[in-house]
Each structure stands twice: as structure tokens, then as C-alpha cells.
Amino acid sequence: MAFSGKVLALSGGVGGAKLCRGLTAVLNAEQLTIAANTGDDFDYWDLRICPDLDSVMYALADLNDEERGWGLRDETWRTLIAMRRLGGDEWFQIGDQDLATHMLRTQLLRAGHSLSAATKQIAAGLGVTHTLLPMSEQTVATKVSTDQGWLDFQQYFVRDKCQPEVRGLRFEGADTAQLNPLLKNVLQDDELAAIVVCPSNPFVSIDPILSLPDCVGLLKEASAPVIAVSPIIAGRAVKGPAAKMMRELDMPATALAVAEYYGDLLDGYVLDESDVEYSDDIVAMGIKVCVAPTLMTDLPSKTSLAERVLSFAASWDG
Amino acid sequence: MAFSGKVLALSGGVGGAKLCRGLTAVLNAEQLTIAANTGDDFDYWDLRICPDLDSVMYALADLNDEERGWGLRDETWRTLIAMRRLGGDEWFQIGDQDLATHMLRTQLLRAGHSLSAATKQIAAGLGVTHTLLPMSEQTVATKVSTDQGWLDFQQYFVRDKCQPEVRGLRFEGADTAQLNPLLKNVLQDDELAAIVVCPSNPFVSIDPILSLPDCVGLLKEASAPVIAVSPIIAGRAVKGPAAKMMRELDMPATALAVAEYYGDLLDGYVLDESDVEYSDDIVAMGIKVCVAPTLMTDLPSKTSLAERVLSFAASWDG
């Protein structure tokens, strides 16, 4: 297919990264901008770790480990094992190749470069040609309120394996952070033809982006339709704690509940074939629906979903 | 053999580390303190690298790569290769396991620990039981005056492979740094029975230690004899630029010239069998001589040389 116009994708890590990979197969570098959540970012081993930026970057470079679901393919763990022997922190797993990403990023940030500039240099080094932006240059830290108290996101997600019961979330620093100006430019671009909310966790991947000042307003004012792809298929998240989190937050773990959660932010919603039953309810909310196979298991299925999303977006034209 | 009393060894990297390994085979943890040169230390990849401390530590843990002559055995280079792909610095080679050492040390230093404390934790993690101390807690940086101007030591040593012609050396910060107080305690210990100047490069490994305030005075006042082991065997350095440096500094590259260079600091000098011709000249300087096989190629030869040095030291008793 040939899609004309520009596309902005809002993405978290794994699920979002898959659709982003599909979008890069269909759109050229000038057409696509990906804005990734940085609420999961944290410091570890004195390094700045940006899990979602890295997941997207690695997926775009076809270097990601599909089986493990995070990090790089053909990874080794020599430094981690050596660190363990020395008694250093080891609860967060950093592979040897992945480590170079974190080290170079941290060097660049310490040298005064912006996170956007550091991301650009590292992505270019990996051969990524499409534009990948952090949602903000400033630090926003997702905090999870649980039955065990407030936890930093990575403590909840990695250290505690999403086992604590979630009661709420807050995005520390989001009120004073600014939306990445480069992202703001894209949102105000007249050629913008689609805004894709990737099938990422709404609470911890997309909400941090939406929580930034002016973001929701700019999304609503943008010339392009806002189209979300459901991260829930037949009541389950493909990966990650989205469905568990929904139940803990007193929502049904359904694709419908996600559409209701995003509410009037959305112009369109892409629903998996197995969830076609929710179509009418979503249409009744004033949101156009596209039903498609949304499970992405390989490059053809990623590309195919990207094409469906873009065809759907094209239906707003004229 | 059973040597009674305490021993202090002053050491640089490879050659010194070999004799230190021999000393740890003969002396228990309470008897031996090793003070390593930190003039070679530098920052790279935003990490604090202490090459001589690490060479000694790895040698003591039997984890050093004897063949390569530096770093850890069974090392891999995955992070370095990934860093190269990203366009980061790569002139200094850090292996994946070695990296954990530099990362943990840097973390500990940033958290406010002293270099002695960081060294102690890392050495303990590697199973080292003998005491290894940096010569100072403060930064001293060896600078090399060459036909190409002043160079940082690692630029000269690693990046430029010791090819520039050396005209002189200075130890930046040595005038305001302090001798490690823990090392000072050892020097003032009445039970100190031998001070061993390891077969390390006199100019870039031992001189930085000697350049620290009070160091030479304390060595001379110490109750124990100061015994150097020649780093030159039959006119050649076993490894490293010592012989080349001597010629460039207008000295003959001989074991005799090293003894003359140390001069009245020495009470005893251990000379290789192949250099027995210099014995009389050295004795004439008022320095006792011990002739021994000094080439250390395996643990037995390291242990054997350590035993010879300690027997020699014992000859000062009563």
C-alpha cells in the first residue's frame, strides 16, 4: 500500500514496538515519527536505562529478541555474572550488548546532550532510519501504588514481577515536564494524517505520555484522527500486566474497557477479530471501529496490521 | 619456608603483579600488604579505570590472562563490539567481565566510598584475602613528555602503543595528594620486616608512589630493608616499555642502571642470574645483592622468587 501523509505513533515497549516495526515497513523515514514512553526510565548501575526507547529501537533495527520479549537477540550476560560475583546489584538484567546502549546514552547525557539527541545517535548506530523521540526531555517517573505501598515502576515490574496488586499510578514530574518540542511540532504539522496509539499498556505506557502538559489538547486539536489499537485480545494482554492491572483497577479486562478508558481522545479503534462483539458499543461511543487480526507474531503480521491501521486512517480523508 | 614478620610490596601492573602472586603463596593475609600505583588511573566510558590495582587483584585471584598479559582470562568483548557499532569510544579495550569491576568501583566512588574501600570490596568479591591498597586516595595522574608533546599515560601507553619517544614524566597531583594512611600505618609498623619494590617499571609504576609526600622518607625510616627486584633481565624488560624508556631517558637499559636510579633508597637488590656481572658495582654502592632466577613464567617460579626475596630480607635480621 502507499499511504500519503505523516504518521505519529505513541508507543510503550514490546507490543508497541511490534506495531512500530510494522509501520516502518510501510512508511518511509520522513513519514513516521514514534514517540516513546519514558516513564519507565530509571537509574541502575549509575546508568540511565530507557526500556521503552530501547525496545522500540531494537525492534526497528531487527535486533530484538522476540522469544524473550525484551532486549537484544544473541545476548550474553558476562558483565552481569561478573557483577554478581562482586556483590553488585543484579536484580535488573542487562546484557553485554545492551549495556553499550545504556553506557553510551549515559555518557551523552552527562556530556550535556538531550535524551532526543542521545537516542538519535544510538538509533543511527543501530541502523534505525525512522525518527524515534522520547516523550519528553525531562524526567518523568511512573510510581505504582500497590497493596505493598508506592513502588518505583521497575521495582514493581521487574523486581516484584508485577505481583503486587495495583491501586493507582502517578507520573512524578509530569506536571513540570514538557512535551518533547519535536513531538509538539509533529502534532501541529498540517501533513499529519494519523496518530496511532500503539497496543501498549494504557496505564503505564500511554498514560505517562498523555499526562504531559498540553498533550491531550494537542492530540485532540491535531488534524489527524487518533486511532488506538487494542492491547487486549480476547480478555488477555499478549504480554505484560495490562489485563491484571485492569482487574485490580476495577475494570473488566476487555478491549471495550480500554476504548472506554481512552474515551473521547479516540476517533478510531482497532479491535481484534476475537473481540468483534464490542464493535457496536464502541461505535455507540462515537468511535469508528476497524476489526482486524491484531496478534503480531512475525514481520508479515506486524506489517499487515500496520497496513490495516493506515487504511483505516485513510478513511477519514475527504 | 616460613617468613615471620610483615611485608609491604610496592607494585605496578603485570611484572609486579606476578611477584605479588608469589608473595601471597608464601605469606598469610595478615603478613602482606600490597600498595599499587594509581598514576595510570583514568576515566573512560565515564568509568574510573585503575589498571594496576586490577592487574594485581586479578593476578592474586588467579583470574588474570597470562598470555595476553592484562585483563581477565576467558574474557569476551561483547560490550566493546556493541559500543563500536554505536560509534562510542573504543581505543581502550574493556572486556565484559572486567567491565563489572570498573562499573562497581565507579558506583562505589560516586556513592562516597574511598578507593581503598572500593578496592577492598571488589577484591573480596574475587576471593582475594591479602590486603591491596591504592597508593593514595587522591588522584595522581602520570603525564608523559614525549617528542609529540605531553600525553596522558594511557594515551601514551595504550592508544599510541608506547611509540612516542619519552623525554620526561610528571605525576600531576602528587604534591597535594597524600600517601594512603593505611599504607603509612604499614610503613610505621614495628613488625614490618621487608619492603619489596616489585619488578615494575621504575619510571611509571614505582616513581608515582615514591613521588607522594613523605613516602621516600618513610621508606628510609622504616625498620625493614627496602629490596628491589630488577625489572630488567639481560638488558630487556619482560613486558612493557621500561627498557625503551631507559634508552630514551639516556640511561643504559640494564639492571645496574635501575639500581643506580633507585640509589640510596635501596638496602638490597635482587638481580637475575644473567646479570650477575653487575653484582660488584651494586655492592660497591652499599646495596646488598641477591642473585636469583627472576623470570616468572608460572606459579612455581613466582613462588620461588618470592621465597628468595624473603630469604634475602631475613638476612637483615639480628
Side-chain angles (χ1 to χ4, degrees):
Chain A
M1 70 168 290
F3 183 84
S4 63
K6 296 184 178 173
V7 175
L8 171 66
L10 307 183
S11 181
V14 185
K18 286 183 182 178
L19 182 56
C20 289
R21 178 63 186 92
L23 290 167
T24 62
V26 181
L27 300 168
N28 64 40
E30 287 65 43
Q31 286 182 284
L32 178 65
T33 299
I34 299 163
N37 167 45
T38 56
D40 301 3
D41 296 6
F42 71 118
D43 293 309
Y44 180 78
W45 287 0
D46 276 352
L47 299 172
R48 189 66 181 158
I49 317 277
C50 304
D52 287 354
L53 280 173
D54 292 350
S55 288
V56 173
M57 200 157 64
Y58 294 162
L60 265 47
D62 287 328
L63 293 169
N64 60 311
D65 190 302
E66 293 270 359
E67 207 164 312
R68 197 191 314 117
W70 54 270
L72 288 159
R73 214 168 44 235
D74 303 322
E75 188 58 285
T76 51
W77 313 90
R78 303 271 293 175
T79 303
L80 181 72
I81 292 164
M83 189 63 99
R84 181 177 299 156
R85 178 167 67 184
L86 298 181
D89 280 333
E90 52 150 328
W91 64 268
F92 188 82
Q93 296 203 299
I94 298 182
D96 300 323
Q97 301 181 91
D98 190 28
L99 185 51
T101 298
H102 311 309
M103 292 188 70
L104 183 57
R105 173 168 43 229
T106 306
Q107 286 172 41
L108 292 168
L109 292 175
R110 284 209 185 102
H113 296 273
S114 68
L115 183 56
S116 293
T119 302
K120 188 176 180 178
Q121 176 170 338
I122 294 166
L126 296 174
V128 172
T129 53
H130 293 78
T131 301
L132 171 62
L133 299 175
M135 66 184 197
S136 175
E137 301 290 9
Q138 289 83 41
T139 299
V140 175
T142 298
K143 306 283 178 179
V144 189
S145 170
T146 74
D147 54 346
Q148 294 165 32
W150 282 98
L151 298 174
D152 292 342
F153 178 73
Q154 296 297 342
Q155 292 177 338
Y156 162 76
F157 190 68
V158 175
R159 193 194 63 188
D160 299 343
K161 302 182 177 64
C162 306
Q163 281 167 357
E165 192 175 306
V166 174
R167 292 178 178 167
L169 293 144
R170 66 184 164 87
F171 310 113
E172 204 172 88
D175 49 341
T176 56
Q178 291 188 317
L179 195 65
N180 189 329
L182 298 168
L183 173 53
K184 197 169 175 179
N185 290 347
V186 174
L187 280 166
Q188 295 177 323
D189 189 331
D190 286 340
E191 292 179 52
L192 190 63
I195 297 167
V196 180
V197 178
C198 288
S200 294
N201 186 310
F203 315 105
V204 297
S205 298
I206 303 301
D207 270 355
I209 307 178
L210 302 180
S211 72
L212 291 165
D214 305 328
C215 184
V216 169
L218 285 164
L219 285 168
K220 288 183 177 173
E221 287 161 22
S223 55
V226 177
I227 297 169
V229 178
S230 175
I232 300 289
I233 301 179
R236 300 201 320 187
V238 178
K239 190 168 168 63
K244 175 174 183 283
M245 238 178 227
M246 292 180 83
R247 289 187 295 270
E248 290 165 358
L249 294 169
D250 292 324
M251 278 177 229
T254 63
L256 173 61
V258 172
E260 289 172 338
Y261 184 74
Y262 284 134
D264 67 358
L265 179 73
L266 299 186
D267 299 298
Y269 194 64
V270 179
L271 201 59
D272 190 72
E273 292 171 331
S274 62
D275 291 318
V276 68
E277 61 187 295
Y278 302 121
S279 288
D280 292 347
D281 287 334
I282 296 168
V283 169
M285 292 161 64
I287 298 170
K288 281 170 91 169
V289 167
C290 166
V291 177
T294 64
L295 190 65
M296 295 172 282
T297 54
D298 52 16
L299 184 55
S301 54
K302 292 169 195 168
T303 305
S304 170
L305 180 58
E307 286 174 342
R308 291 295 292 268
V309 171
L310 295 177
S311 298
F312 184 40
S315 71
W316 266 265
D317 270 357
Chain B
M1 71 168 292
F3 182 85
S4 63
K6 294 184 179 173
V7 175
L8 170 66
L10 307 183
S11 182
V14 185
K18 286 184 181 178
L19 181 56
C20 289
R21 178 63 186 91
L23 289 167
T24 61
V26 181
L27 299 167
N28 65 39
E30 286 66 41
Q31 285 182 285
L32 178 65
T33 299
I34 299 164
N37 168 45
T38 56
D40 301 1
D41 295 8
F42 71 119
D43 292 310
Y44 180 79
W45 287 359
D46 277 354
L47 300 172
R48 189 67 182 159
I49 317 278
C50 304
D52 288 354
L53 280 172
D54 292 350
S55 289
V56 172
M57 200 157 64
Y58 294 162
L60 265 47
D62 286 329
L63 293 169
N64 60 311
D65 189 302
E66 294 268 0
E67 209 165 310
R68 197 191 315 118
W70 54 271
L72 289 159
R73 215 169 42 236
D74 304 321
E75 187 58 286
T76 51
W77 312 91
R78 304 270 294 176
T79 304
L80 180 72
I81 291 164
M83 189 63 98
R84 182 176 300 158
R85 178 167 67 183
L86 298 180
D89 281 332
E90 51 150 329
W91 63 269
F92 188 83
Q93 296 203 298
I94 299 183
D96 300 323
Q97 301 181 92
D98 189 28
L99 185 51
T101 298
H102 310 309
M103 292 188 67
L104 183 56
R105 173 168 44 227
T106 307
Q107 287 172 40
L108 292 169
L109 293 175
R110 284 210 186 100
H113 296 273
S114 68
L115 183 56
S116 293
T119 302
K120 187 176 180 177
Q121 177 171 337
I122 295 166
L126 296 174
V128 172
T129 52
H130 293 78
T131 302
L132 172 62
L133 299 176
M135 65 184 197
S136 176
E137 301 290 9
Q138 290 83 40
T139 299
V140 175
T142 298
K143 305 284 178 179
V144 188
S145 171
T146 73
D147 54 347
Q148 295 164 33
W150 282 100
L151 298 174
D152 291 342
F153 179 73
Q154 296 296 343
Q155 292 176 339
Y156 162 78
F157 190 68
V158 175
R159 194 194 62 186
D160 300 342
K161 302 182 178 64
C162 306
Q163 282 168 356
E165 192 175 306
V166 175
R167 294 180 177 166
L169 294 145
R170 66 185 165 87
F171 310 113
E172 204 172 87
D175 49 341
T176 54
Q178 292 187 317
L179 195 66
N180 189 329
L182 298 168
L183 172 54
K184 197 169 175 177
N185 289 347
V186 174
L187 280 165
Q188 295 177 324
D189 189 331
D190 287 340
E191 292 180 51
L192 190 64
I195 298 167
V196 179
V197 178
C198 287
S200 294
N201 187 309
F203 314 105
V204 297
S205 297
I206 303 301
D207 270 356
I209 308 177
L210 301 181
S211 73
L212 291 165
D214 304 329
C215 183
V216 169
L218 286 164
L219 284 168
K220 289 183 177 173
E221 287 161 22
S223 55
V226 178
I227 297 168
V229 177
S230 176
I232 301 289
I233 301 178
R236 301 202 319 189
V238 178
K239 192 169 167 63
K244 175 175 183 282
M245 239 178 226
M246 292 180 82
R247 289 187 295 271
E248 290 165 357
L249 294 170
D250 293 324
M251 278 178 229
T254 63
L256 173 61
V258 172
E260 288 171 339
Y261 184 74
Y262 285 134
D264 67 357
L265 179 73
L266 299 186
D267 299 298
Y269 195 64
V270 178
L271 200 60
D272 190 71
E273 291 171 331
S274 60
D275 291 318
V276 67
E277 60 187 296
Y278 301 121
S279 287
D280 292 348
D281 286 335
I282 297 168
V283 169
M285 293 161 63
I287 299 170
K288 281 171 90 168
V289 168
C290 165
V291 177
T294 63
L295 191 65
M296 294 173 281
T297 54
D298 53 15
L299 184 56
S301 54
K302 292 170 195 168
T303 306
S304 169
L305 180 58
E307 286 174 342
R308 290 295 293 269
V309 171
L310 296 177
S311 297
F312 184 39
S315 71
W316 265 264
D317 270 359

